[in-house]
Amino acid sequence: MVKYNFLQITKLLEKLFKIGFKDEKSIINIGLEDLEKIPDISSTDITIILELKKAIRNKKIIAFLSSGEEKKEEKKNV
């Protein structure tokens, strides 16, 4: 999992919420056409969206939000 800072993720989530993507199902279904609706989208934002979609599908939201820190903790505890 690529690391992003929490501020980047939060700013992107604000953009998504403003245009109507407010739940997991709608975020998973974001398509190429939907990316045009996102104001000031960057290539980093697109990459974060792709990683967020994977995290939702795999039920790893906390690991995504913590930039993978949860994975490291799990390995130490095993």
Side-chain angles (χ1 to χ4, degrees), residues 45-63:
D45 289 338
I46 293 170
T47 305
I48 293 172
I49 289 170
L50 295 173
E51 292 292 325
L52 176 59
K53 289 171 71 167
K54 282 186 217 174
I56 292 169
R57 281 190 208 107
N58 295 325
K59 297 179 173 80
K60 299 285 185 182
I61 299 297
I62 299 301

Side-chain angles (χ1 to χ4, degrees), residues 5 11-13 15 17-18 20 28 30 32 35 40-42 47 54 57-58 61 63 69 76-77:
N5 69 46
K11 285 182 179 183
L12 175 62
L13 287 174
K15 289 178 187 180
F17 297 159
K18 282 182 184 178
I28 287 176
I30 292 175
L32 291 174
L35 296 178
D40 303 319
I41 192 165
S42 68
T47 305
K54 282 186 217 174
R57 281 190 208 107
N58 295 325
I61 299 297
E69 295 302 319
K76 288 180 183 177
N77 291 333

Side-chain angles (χ1 to χ4, degrees), residues 2-14:
V2 179
K3 291 187 177 188
Y4 303 101
N5 69 46
F6 194 70
L7 184 60
Q8 288 174 303
I9 295 168
T10 304
K11 285 182 179 183
L12 175 62
L13 287 174
E14 286 177 6

